[in-house]
Structures are given as structure tokens and as C-alpha cells.
Amino acid sequence: KAGVTQTPRYLIKTRGQQVTLSCSPISGHRSVSWYQQTPGQGLQFLFEYFSETQRNKGNFPGRFSGRQFSNSRSEMNVSTLELGDSALYLCASSLAPSGAYEQYFGPGTRLTVT
Amino acid sequence: QKEVEQNSGPLSVPEGAIASLNCTYSDRGSQSFFWYRQYSGKSPELIMFIYSNGDKEDGRFTAQLNKASQYVSLLIRDSQPSDSATYLCAVNKGGADGLTFGKGTHLIIQP
């Protein structure tokens, strides 16, 4: 069974631009969560989607948004990029909402904002 | 108080010995607990999960959970150089909050 895939793997953007990242979960998994990883803050929860609905959102500004499609694939969008948005963005999939099931991470998208 | 705390290390263990990694959490209502291994430049890989008090064994790995003490640990027996990585403890508090991660412990297995 194929794992979680994320595209693109690397991205360089300039301040003020926006970016869209994509995540395809493991086949049969319906829940997708997004995390930001930085050396200073570690792994931080962004949001989780299940059945095309956002279940919750972490402590991030409204510039961070996401959505989930009927095939469970998910995208996240960051608008008006800031230097501090440079990070590894990880998505994780699980069979159902993450409270009850294990999450498996994709390889991540490395975003650099210049 | 941090929600999930881990000693950042580095924790140095000789090859063949038992590596013991510890994690404490603050929310007494936490329901599920996970250990991830992350190699430098890679994404986290799930190695163990535990939901009930006690021990759970999987190969060389044993996860231990003590909800009364709000403590979860990971033991790695017969440590190998390939076990050298950062180990992340993650906790789900229930509901839709996603996982809360500790900052990780850097483990070094010395040949």
C-alpha cells in the first residue's frame, strides 16, 4: 500500500506571495492533519480534515487555510508569506479522526521564504 | 508548564544496551500516546502507540504508560547504530485537537 505523498517536496517563495501544498493520504484513510515543523518550535498542529470538514485548527493566523476533497486529498494554503513561515510542512493521514487512530506522516514539503 | 516534555539530550547509549526515553504530559485527560522516530532531514516515522496503562512490546521496542503519573516511556533493547535519531513523543488529548508533540530526544548509539 502506498504511503502518504506530498507535493511539491521543495519550494522557494518570496515574502508576500502565497503557496499551495498538496497531500494525498494512504488509500482508505479519510482523515488528514497538517503540521508545521521548525527548529525552534518543533512540530505544531495546524488543522485536521475529516470528510471534507475542518475539525479543529491550531494556534496559527488566518493566513493558513486548508481544504479536503471528496477523495480525501487535502491542500493547505498560506497567503501573504512571511519569513517566519519557512518550515517543513508535514501532512499525516489516519483512518478516522486522529484521536482514536494512528497518524502516518508524508515526506513533507520544505518551504523557504526569502 | 509545557504540555509534552522530553529531555532534549543527546542521550548516548552503547551499542547492544537498552535505551530508555522518557516523556511527561500535562493534560490528565490525554487518551492516546505515540512514539515517532525522525532521522535528520526526514519525516517522523511511527514506531509505537499505546492507549492503556502498562507495557506494550513490539520487537525490540517497548512502550510503557502510567496515566496516574502522566508518564510514557520507550525502551529500545539491543540498541543498534541505526537507532540513532530523534525520538518524538506525541499525545492526543482527545477530541479534535490533533497531536501535541514534545521537542524530541536526540539518541546516539555508540558502536
Side-chain angles (χ1 to χ4, degrees), chain B residues 19-37:
Chain B
S20 178
L21 304 163
N22 304 316
C23 171
T24 58
Y25 59 95
S26 61
D27 191 323
R28 193 168 281 279
S30 297
Q31 298 180 358
S32 47
F33 308 85
F34 305 87
W35 284 99
Y36 287 86
R37 177 176 63 197

PDB file of all heavy atoms in Angstrom, chain B residues 19-37:
ATOM      1  N   ALA B  19      18.194   1.484  25.526  1.00  0.00           N
ATOM      2  CA  ALA B  19      17.989   2.937  25.530  1.00  0.00           C
ATOM      3  C   ALA B  19      16.623   3.211  26.138  1.00  0.00           C
ATOM      4  O   ALA B  19      15.633   2.563  25.779  1.00  0.00           O
ATOM      5  CB  ALA B  19      18.060   3.494  24.114  1.00  0.00           C
ATOM      6  N   SER B  20      16.570   4.136  27.062  1.00  0.00           N
ATOM      7  CA  SER B  20      15.325   4.478  27.752  1.00  0.00           C
ATOM      8  C   SER B  20      14.993   5.945  27.509  1.00  0.00           C
ATOM      9  O   SER B  20      15.766   6.839  27.862  1.00  0.00           O
ATOM     10  CB  SER B  20      15.477   4.226  29.259  1.00  0.00           C
ATOM     11  OG  SER B  20      14.284   4.591  29.930  1.00  0.00           O
ATOM     12  N   LEU B  21      13.863   6.190  26.876  1.00  0.00           N
ATOM     13  CA  LEU B  21      13.434   7.541  26.523  1.00  0.00           C
ATOM     14  C   LEU B  21      12.166   7.853  27.299  1.00  0.00           C
ATOM     15  O   LEU B  21      11.254   7.032  27.371  1.00  0.00           O
ATOM     16  CB  LEU B  21      13.167   7.625  25.012  1.00  0.00           C
ATOM     17  CG  LEU B  21      14.353   7.213  24.143  1.00  0.00           C
ATOM     18  CD1 LEU B  21      13.902   6.935  22.726  1.00  0.00           C
ATOM     19  CD2 LEU B  21      15.412   8.292  24.156  1.00  0.00           C
ATOM     20  N   ASN B  22      12.108   9.041  27.857  1.00  0.00           N
ATOM     21  CA  ASN B  22      11.009   9.391  28.741  1.00  0.00           C
ATOM     22  C   ASN B  22      10.240  10.618  28.255  1.00  0.00           C
ATOM     23  O   ASN B  22      10.791  11.487  27.577  1.00  0.00           O
ATOM     24  CB  ASN B  22      11.551   9.670  30.144  1.00  0.00           C
ATOM     25  CG  ASN B  22      12.337   8.493  30.683  1.00  0.00           C
ATOM     26  OD1 ASN B  22      11.917   7.349  30.547  1.00  0.00           O
ATOM     27  ND2 ASN B  22      13.493   8.767  31.266  1.00  0.00           N
ATOM     28  N   CYS B  23       8.982  10.667  28.663  1.00  0.00           N
ATOM     29  CA  CYS B  23       8.096  11.749  28.240  1.00  0.00           C
ATOM     30  C   CYS B  23       7.049  11.962  29.319  1.00  0.00           C
ATOM     31  O   CYS B  23       6.488  10.988  29.840  1.00  0.00           O
ATOM     32  CB  CYS B  23       7.456  11.351  26.910  1.00  0.00           C
ATOM     33  SG  CYS B  23       6.136  12.413  26.308  1.00  0.00           S
ATOM     34  N   THR B  24       6.804  13.207  29.688  1.00  0.00           N
ATOM     35  CA  THR B  24       5.713  13.513  30.607  1.00  0.00           C
ATOM     36  C   THR B  24       4.736  14.451  29.912  1.00  0.00           C
ATOM     37  O   THR B  24       5.110  15.211  29.009  1.00  0.00           O
ATOM     38  CB  THR B  24       6.222  14.175  31.901  1.00  0.00           C
ATOM     39  OG1 THR B  24       6.935  15.381  31.568  1.00  0.00           O
ATOM     40  CG2 THR B  24       7.135  13.243  32.677  1.00  0.00           C
ATOM     41  N   TYR B  25       3.482  14.392  30.330  1.00  0.00           N
ATOM     42  CA  TYR B  25       2.459  15.228  29.713  1.00  0.00           C
ATOM     43  C   TYR B  25       1.611  15.870  30.788  1.00  0.00           C
ATOM     44  O   TYR B  25       1.497  15.349  31.899  1.00  0.00           O
ATOM     45  CB  TYR B  25       1.604  14.405  28.735  1.00  0.00           C
ATOM     46  CG  TYR B  25       0.902  13.223  29.354  1.00  0.00           C
ATOM     47  CD1 TYR B  25      -0.407  13.328  29.809  1.00  0.00           C
ATOM     48  CD2 TYR B  25       1.551  11.990  29.487  1.00  0.00           C
ATOM     49  CE1 TYR B  25      -1.053  12.257  30.380  1.00  0.00           C
ATOM     50  CE2 TYR B  25       0.917  10.913  30.064  1.00  0.00           C
ATOM     51  CZ  TYR B  25      -0.383  11.035  30.509  1.00  0.00           C
ATOM     52  OH  TYR B  25      -1.028   9.968  31.084  1.00  0.00           O
ATOM     53  N   SER B  26       1.015  16.991  30.464  1.00  0.00           N
ATOM     54  CA  SER B  26       0.340  17.776  31.491  1.00  0.00           C
ATOM     55  C   SER B  26      -1.172  17.549  31.557  1.00  0.00           C
ATOM     56  O   SER B  26      -1.777  17.729  32.617  1.00  0.00           O
ATOM     57  CB  SER B  26       0.615  19.266  31.283  1.00  0.00           C
ATOM     58  OG  SER B  26       0.125  19.678  30.024  1.00  0.00           O
ATOM     59  N   ASP B  27      -1.780  17.167  30.428  1.00  0.00           N
ATOM     60  CA  ASP B  27      -3.239  17.042  30.411  1.00  0.00           C
ATOM     61  C   ASP B  27      -3.654  15.644  30.875  1.00  0.00           C
ATOM     62  O   ASP B  27      -3.426  14.658  30.175  1.00  0.00           O
ATOM     63  CB  ASP B  27      -3.763  17.306  28.999  1.00  0.00           C
ATOM     64  CG  ASP B  27      -5.283  17.455  28.958  1.00  0.00           C
ATOM     65  OD1 ASP B  27      -5.983  16.741  29.705  1.00  0.00           O
ATOM     66  OD2 ASP B  27      -5.767  18.292  28.177  1.00  0.00           O
ATOM     67  N   ARG B  28      -4.275  15.602  32.047  1.00  0.00           N
ATOM     68  CA  ARG B  28      -4.638  14.309  32.641  1.00  0.00           C
ATOM     69  C   ARG B  28      -5.692  13.576  31.800  1.00  0.00           C
ATOM     70  O   ARG B  28      -5.853  12.373  31.916  1.00  0.00           O
ATOM     71  CB  ARG B  28      -5.143  14.552  34.069  1.00  0.00           C
ATOM     72  CG  ARG B  28      -5.274  13.330  34.913  1.00  0.00           C
ATOM     73  CD  ARG B  28      -5.493  13.691  36.382  1.00  0.00           C
ATOM     74  NE  ARG B  28      -4.258  14.072  37.050  1.00  0.00           N
ATOM     75  CZ  ARG B  28      -3.362  13.201  37.525  1.00  0.00           C
ATOM     76  NH1 ARG B  28      -3.563  11.908  37.378  1.00  0.00           N
ATOM     77  NH2 ARG B  28      -2.289  13.629  38.131  1.00  0.00           N
ATOM     78  N   GLY B  29      -6.389  14.299  30.951  1.00  0.00           N
ATOM     79  CA  GLY B  29      -7.399  13.668  30.115  1.00  0.00           C
ATOM     80  C   GLY B  29      -6.855  13.081  28.819  1.00  0.00           C
ATOM     81  O   GLY B  29      -7.630  12.580  28.006  1.00  0.00           O
ATOM     82  N   SER B  30      -5.555  13.117  28.625  1.00  0.00           N
ATOM     83  CA  SER B  30      -4.952  12.583  27.395  1.00  0.00           C
ATOM     84  C   SER B  30      -5.285  11.107  27.237  1.00  0.00           C
ATOM     85  O   SER B  30      -5.309  10.352  28.207  1.00  0.00           O
ATOM     86  CB  SER B  30      -3.440  12.787  27.415  1.00  0.00           C
ATOM     87  OG  SER B  30      -3.130  14.164  27.437  1.00  0.00           O
ATOM     88  N   GLN B  31      -5.531  10.727  25.983  1.00  0.00           N
ATOM     89  CA  GLN B  31      -6.086   9.397  25.756  1.00  0.00           C
ATOM     90  C   GLN B  31      -5.183   8.474  24.966  1.00  0.00           C
ATOM     91  O   GLN B  31      -5.246   7.253  25.115  1.00  0.00           O
ATOM     92  CB  GLN B  31      -7.421   9.532  25.021  1.00  0.00           C
ATOM     93  CG  GLN B  31      -8.463  10.304  25.811  1.00  0.00           C
ATOM     94  CD  GLN B  31      -9.773  10.429  25.055  1.00  0.00           C
ATOM     95  OE1 GLN B  31      -9.902   9.982  23.922  1.00  0.00           O
ATOM     96  NE2 GLN B  31     -10.749  11.040  25.692  1.00  0.00           N
ATOM     97  N   SER B  32      -4.365   9.013  24.074  1.00  0.00           N
ATOM     98  CA  SER B  32      -3.546   8.140  23.239  1.00  0.00           C
ATOM     99  C   SER B  32      -2.149   8.730  23.108  1.00  0.00           C
ATOM    100  O   SER B  32      -1.977   9.951  23.130  1.00  0.00           O
ATOM    101  CB  SER B  32      -4.188   7.914  21.873  1.00  0.00           C
ATOM    102  OG  SER B  32      -4.625   9.116  21.306  1.00  0.00           O
ATOM    103  N   PHE B  33      -1.174   7.825  22.974  1.00  0.00           N
ATOM    104  CA  PHE B  33       0.228   8.218  23.105  1.00  0.00           C
ATOM    105  C   PHE B  33       1.041   7.526  22.019  1.00  0.00           C
ATOM    106  O   PHE B  33       0.840   6.344  21.741  1.00  0.00           O
ATOM    107  CB  PHE B  33       0.735   7.825  24.502  1.00  0.00           C
ATOM    108  CG  PHE B  33      -0.151   8.342  25.597  1.00  0.00           C
ATOM    109  CD1 PHE B  33      -1.269   7.638  25.997  1.00  0.00           C
ATOM    110  CD2 PHE B  33       0.124   9.563  26.193  1.00  0.00           C
ATOM    111  CE1 PHE B  33      -2.113   8.126  26.973  1.00  0.00           C
ATOM    112  CE2 PHE B  33      -0.716  10.062  27.183  1.00  0.00           C
ATOM    113  CZ  PHE B  33      -1.832   9.347  27.572  1.00  0.00           C
ATOM    114  N   PHE B  34       1.939   8.282  21.423  1.00  0.00           N
ATOM    115  CA  PHE B  34       2.651   7.785  20.253  1.00  0.00           C
ATOM    116  C   PHE B  34       4.132   8.110  20.369  1.00  0.00           C
ATOM    117  O   PHE B  34       4.517   9.138  20.909  1.00  0.00           O
ATOM    118  CB  PHE B  34       2.096   8.461  18.983  1.00  0.00           C
ATOM    119  CG  PHE B  34       0.603   8.299  18.823  1.00  0.00           C
ATOM    120  CD1 PHE B  34      -0.269   9.195  19.417  1.00  0.00           C
ATOM    121  CD2 PHE B  34       0.081   7.251  18.080  1.00  0.00           C
ATOM    122  CE1 PHE B  34      -1.641   9.044  19.279  1.00  0.00           C
ATOM    123  CE2 PHE B  34      -1.283   7.097  17.941  1.00  0.00           C
ATOM    124  CZ  PHE B  34      -2.148   7.998  18.549  1.00  0.00           C
ATOM    125  N   TRP B  35       4.944   7.222  19.814  1.00  0.00           N
ATOM    126  CA  TRP B  35       6.373   7.480  19.665  1.00  0.00           C
ATOM    127  C   TRP B  35       6.718   7.465  18.179  1.00  0.00           C
ATOM    128  O   TRP B  35       6.392   6.522  17.459  1.00  0.00           O
ATOM    129  CB  TRP B  35       7.204   6.434  20.391  1.00  0.00           C
ATOM    130  CG  TRP B  35       7.240   6.628  21.868  1.00  0.00           C
ATOM    131  CD1 TRP B  35       6.497   5.983  22.817  1.00  0.00           C
ATOM    132  CD2 TRP B  35       8.074   7.538  22.586  1.00  0.00           C
ATOM    133  NE1 TRP B  35       6.807   6.431  24.065  1.00  0.00           N
ATOM    134  CE2 TRP B  35       7.784   7.396  23.960  1.00  0.00           C
ATOM    135  CE3 TRP B  35       9.060   8.463  22.216  1.00  0.00           C
ATOM    136  CZ2 TRP B  35       8.425   8.136  24.952  1.00  0.00           C
ATOM    137  CZ3 TRP B  35       9.693   9.204  23.195  1.00  0.00           C
ATOM    138  CH2 TRP B  35       9.375   9.040  24.551  1.00  0.00           C
ATOM    139  N   TYR B  36       7.380   8.534  17.758  1.00  0.00           N
ATOM    140  CA  TYR B  36       7.847   8.648  16.387  1.00  0.00           C
ATOM    141  C   TYR B  36       9.368   8.743  16.392  1.00  0.00           C
ATOM    142  O   TYR B  36       9.965   9.332  17.295  1.00  0.00           O
ATOM    143  CB  TYR B  36       7.283   9.907  15.713  1.00  0.00           C
ATOM    144  CG  TYR B  36       5.810   9.824  15.367  1.00  0.00           C
ATOM    145  CD1 TYR B  36       4.837  10.148  16.308  1.00  0.00           C
ATOM    146  CD2 TYR B  36       5.397   9.442  14.094  1.00  0.00           C
ATOM    147  CE1 TYR B  36       3.483  10.087  15.988  1.00  0.00           C
ATOM    148  CE2 TYR B  36       4.047   9.376  13.766  1.00  0.00           C
ATOM    149  CZ  TYR B  36       3.105   9.697  14.715  1.00  0.00           C
ATOM    150  OH  TYR B  36       1.778   9.634  14.400  1.00  0.00           O
ATOM    151  N   ARG B  37       9.956   8.189  15.362  1.00  0.00           N
ATOM    152  CA  ARG B  37      11.402   8.321  15.142  1.00  0.00           C
ATOM    153  C   ARG B  37      11.608   9.214  13.922  1.00  0.00           C
ATOM    154  O   ARG B  37      10.954   9.043  12.888  1.00  0.00           O
ATOM    155  CB  ARG B  37      12.021   6.942  14.880  1.00  0.00           C
ATOM    156  CG  ARG B  37      13.500   6.934  14.575  1.00  0.00           C
ATOM    157  CD  ARG B  37      13.997   5.501  14.441  1.00  0.00           C
ATOM    158  NE  ARG B  37      13.362   4.808  13.325  1.00  0.00           N
ATOM    159  CZ  ARG B  37      13.359   3.471  13.188  1.00  0.00           C
ATOM    160  NH1 ARG B  37      13.943   2.699  14.097  1.00  0.00           N
ATOM    161  NH2 ARG B  37      12.780   2.921  12.140  1.00  0.00           N
TER     162      ARG B  37
END
